[in-house]
Amino acid sequence: MLEETKGLFIDGKWVKKQRTYELCAPYDGQLLARISMADAGDVEKAISGAHRAFQTMKNLPAYQRSEILFRVAQLLKERKEELARIVAKEAGKPIRIARGELERTIVTYQFAAEEAKRIYGETIPMDAAPGGEGRIGMTWREPLGVVVAITPFNFPFNLVAHKLGPAFAAGNTVVLKPAEQTPLSALAIAEIFQEAGLPDGALQVITGSGSELSDALLMDERVKKITFTGSASVGKLIKQKAGLRKVTLELGSNAALIVEPDVVLDKVIPRCVEGAFSYAGQVCISLQRVYVHETIYEEFCKRFIERAKQLKVGDPLDEDTDISAMIHQREAERIESWVEEAVQSGAKIGLGGIRNGSIYSPTVLLDVKKDMAVSCQEVFAPVVSIVPYRELQEAIEMVNDSVYGLNIGIYTTNIQRALYAARQIESGAVIINDIPTFRVDHMPYGGVKESGYGREGIKYAVQEMTELKFVSIKTDF
Ligand SMILES: NC(=O)C1=CN([C@@H]2O[C@H](COP(=O)(O)OP(=O)(O)OC[C@H]3O[C@@H](n4cnc5c(N)ncnc54)[C@H](O)[C@@H]3O)[C@@H](O)[C@H]2O)C=CC1
Ligand SMILES: O=C(O)[C@H](O)CS(=O)(=O)O
């Protein structure tokens, strides 16, 4: 990848700007590209272009929208290795995990292609009410128009797919603002959509500072939907600016897991280590809090730490690397200070706690109290706390004692206790007999409390990117 200047993607054309920023790899600081910095005028042009293109998109039949999305999936398959290497470089994501992200992205677009042909309405039995007799009622779904999609750094292909896929499946147009640290993935997907035959203007890609472009992106009344994935702090701000426009917010969490005494640890430990440390914990459903029944607590900690010690820290382009650099050194410094604060308040380091530049070692904390930042805030780092409990109800209360509620896991062989917990737990999803980090791309996905507002998972996102229209016909004269 040469240190070329990358432009904005506006109305199907590449627009290079004088003002650029240097994109450097988190792992070794290598200069990857100079990225154009959009200004408010560029955003206005992008929104105008998307607004014009909507006249074409809304009349594109579903089967053609579906064909474009299937072609995107096919092109991603053909370019998977090249694109995985882009993610490994710009996001610092170990290449094996980056390939996994591309494989999921392909499936996400395939789901979107299928959902494009399944946007159903229904007929309403009007005579269920007095006065409704002699009438036919029906509903259908209509595209909204211009969708602004703002995405985070950590899954720069798949989380963009969860915005573009349903938006285009439903016949909308999109102005995409990717994360400052991962623009190359977004620009690559723009090329792919263009090659797949998406009408010019249907996708606009604006690179640059989210905070600087915020008002231009969010305050234009031609924008009918804002779909945001990122931190809760930015999500709250976006919700305020959205007014009465539709909003979907996929925000943060401090995902927790309950491990009951009746489980086989051989199966549980590897999944827990994966869930806690994959992509250096920079996953919104990364396993951050593990509540283990006191009778197996010592054994669990011993085996978890043994397994975590085997993780290889290194270059994201090395095949055997499990953990690499965090997205910015300042994030590694942040988590280093949070761990120090926890230790000063009585927590013990069972493993790790070592920073080397942007790399923070896999870290296990014990004797953690609920008011420590490593527990009550989103660490978004390779740090996990393991806490004992005596009664299931006590564990559920500790899980729920959080401002977040995205995915929660529980391991148990007792179906009654599993479903009791599932009913009591305050979250968007409860994953029984697996870690909260589990996700497949067609399941409903989203949180309660500060974890979000609305749902993704293609069918659900399509519903949130369309308007339901009701029509009644009086048939008796
Ligand atoms: N629930 C979910 O599915 C996911 C949630 N996340 C969350 O995202 C966060 C990490 O990703 P980051 O990129 O660091 O999040 P971030 O919130 O810092 O940035 C996300 C996006 O928002 C833009 N942005 C920043 N300030 C803005 C403003 N004032 N107005 C408009 N846009 C603005 C950024 O440029 C970026 O494109 C974590 O909190 C994580 O939990 C990450 C992935 C998935
Ligand atoms: O946790 C996240 O950041 C998202 O869930 C990413 S993905 O695994 O669903 O792509």
Side-chain angles (χ1 to χ4, degrees):
M1 194 177 310
L2 299 177
E3 304 161 12
E4 61 176 311
T5 298
K6 287 284 189 180
L8 315 176
F9 187 63
I10 295 183
D11 285 343
K13 296 184 183 59
W14 297 101
V15 179
K16 292 188 178 180
K17 302 291 292 181
Q18 280 297 325
R19 192 169 159 232
T20 63
Y21 67 91
E22 290 190 344
L23 180 71
C24 298
Y27 177 67
D28 57 13
Q30 177 199 3
L31 177 62
L32 302 175
R34 288 181 176 76
I35 306 299
S36 292
M37 291 192 76
D39 58 28
D42 299 311
V43 174
E44 198 285 332
K45 288 192 187 89
I47 292 172
S48 298
H51 187 67
R52 276 192 305 275
F54 179 56
Q55 303 314 314
T56 305
M57 273 303 277
K58 70 180 182 182
N59 296 319
L60 203 60
Y63 78 90
Q64 288 182 3
R65 303 198 301 267
S66 178
E67 284 170 357
I68 291 168
L69 288 161
F70 272 125
R71 272 201 295 276
V72 166
Q74 181 53 38
L75 290 167
L76 283 164
K77 263 185 202 166
E78 292 165 11
R79 295 178 59 182
K80 188 178 92 170
E81 188 58 22
E82 167 211 345
L83 300 175
R85 292 179 69 83
I86 288 178
V87 177
K89 287 190 173 183
E90 69 173 358
K93 185 171 284 188
I95 187 68
R96 292 194 332 268
I97 303 173
R99 289 193 191 104
E101 179 183 349
L102 265 295
E103 283 150 16
R104 284 190 50 197
T105 304
I106 290 161
V107 170
T108 300
Y109 281 115
Q110 288 170 337
F111 276 127
E114 292 158 1
E115 287 302 329
K117 296 194 280 189
R118 292 198 292 241
I119 303 178
Y120 300 127
E122 60 181 347
T123 55
I124 311 295
M126 300 301 282
D127 59 353
E133 56 270 36
R135 298 170 191 268
I136 296 171
M138 59 183 155
T139 65
W140 59 67
R141 289 190 167 276
E142 296 178 346
L144 299 173
V146 178
V147 173
V148 158
I150 303 174
T151 52
F153 73 83
N154 65 334
F155 286 83
F157 274 105
N158 196 38
L159 291 177
V160 166
H162 275 283
K163 313 280 187 202
L164 303 190
F168 296 141
N172 296 294
T173 59
V174 178
V175 176
L176 170 64
K177 211 303 288 180
E180 291 85 334
Q181 183 54 41
T182 51
L184 298 179
S185 308
L187 297 171
I189 204 68
E191 284 172 13
I192 287 172
F193 264 103
Q194 192 171 43
E195 188 177 344
L198 186 73
D200 281 351
L203 172 60
Q204 316 270 345
V205 180
I206 291 291
T207 50
S209 160
S211 52
E212 198 179 296
L213 300 171
S214 197
D215 286 353
L217 284 163
L218 303 173
M219 306 304 278
D220 188 317
E221 284 304 322
R222 291 172 297 176
V223 172
K224 301 301 180 193
K225 165 86 182 183
I226 299 156
T227 175
F228 172 76
T229 297
S231 60
S233 55
V234 175
K236 286 178 190 170
L237 184 148
I238 285 175
K239 181 95 175 40
Q240 284 167 3
K241 292 186 178 182
L244 291 177
R245 267 97 45 86
K246 291 177 180 285
V247 177
T248 298
L249 301 175
E250 291 280 0
L251 307 179
S253 90
N254 57 351
L257 172 71
I258 298 170
V259 182
E260 286 268 273
D262 56 337
V263 300
V264 176
L265 288 184
D266 286 348
K267 298 187 187 313
V268 173
I269 294 293
R271 284 292 286 163
C272 288
V273 171
E274 180 186 350
F277 301 120
S278 180
Y279 189 37
Q282 296 170 117
V283 179
C284 67
I285 43 180
S286 186
L287 180 56
Q288 178 173 327
R289 299 179 288 152
V290 189
Y291 298 100
V292 180
H293 193 271
E294 59 181 11
T295 56
I296 56 168
Y297 179 74
E298 297 297 335
E299 179 64 11
F300 183 95
C301 292
K302 175 172 165 290
R303 291 172 66 170
F304 184 97
I305 290 170
E306 274 168 12
R307 178 90 180 189
K309 279 178 181 170
Q310 297 166 28
L311 295 172
K312 185 176 181 305
V313 178
D315 184 332
L317 290 173
D318 285 353
E319 292 294 338
D320 55 359
T321 292
D322 298 305
I323 289 194
S324 190
M326 293 180 67
I327 198 69
H328 297 294
Q329 178 159 321
R330 64 176 179 270
E331 295 302 325
E333 291 164 352
R334 166 183 60 80
I335 195 61
E336 183 182 42
S337 68
W338 286 17
V339 169
E340 281 165 3
E341 173 233 32
V343 169
Q344 282 160 17
S345 305
K348 300 285 184 303
I349 294 179
L351 176 71
I354 301 158
R355 179 177 70 83
N356 175 11
S358 299
I359 294 179
Y360 197 76
S361 62
T363 297
V364 179
L365 297 178
L366 311 173
D367 297 341
V368 171
K369 300 291 177 287
K370 67 175 187 174
D371 58 349
M372 295 174 180
V374 292
S375 179
C376 65
Q377 295 190 37
E378 175 183 53
V379 294
F380 223 60
V383 174
V384 63
S385 299
I386 307 176
V387 178
Y389 72 90
R390 175 165 300 169
E391 300 297 337
L392 177 58
Q393 189 57 38
E394 175 199 356
I396 292 168
E397 286 164 10
M398 289 193 285
V399 163
N400 286 340
D401 187 3
S402 167
V403 296
Y404 294 114
L406 192 51
N407 284 10
I408 300 292
I410 175 169
Y411 273 101
T412 176
T413 59
N414 181 315
I415 189 73
Q416 186 189 8
R417 290 167 74 84
L419 292 179
Y420 172 80
R423 290 186 69 86
Q424 300 291 322
I425 287 170
E426 300 160 4
S427 66
V430 177
I431 311 295
I432 298 172
N433 288 335
D434 206 348
I435 51 176
T437 325
F438 168 78
R439 181 184 183 185
V440 285
D441 294 287
H442 61 306
M443 76 189 216
Y445 186 76
V448 299
K449 300 192 269 187
E450 294 199 12
S451 284
Y453 187 84
R455 291 294 180 271
E456 288 191 337
I458 297 300
K459 180 179 87 172
Y460 308 92
V462 167
Q463 289 170 354
E464 298 197 6
M465 291 188 182
T466 50
E467 195 65 68
L468 184 73
K469 180 168 280 181
F470 169 72
V471 177
S472 81
I473 311 161
K474 193 168 184 331
T475 52
D476 292 1
F477 291 95

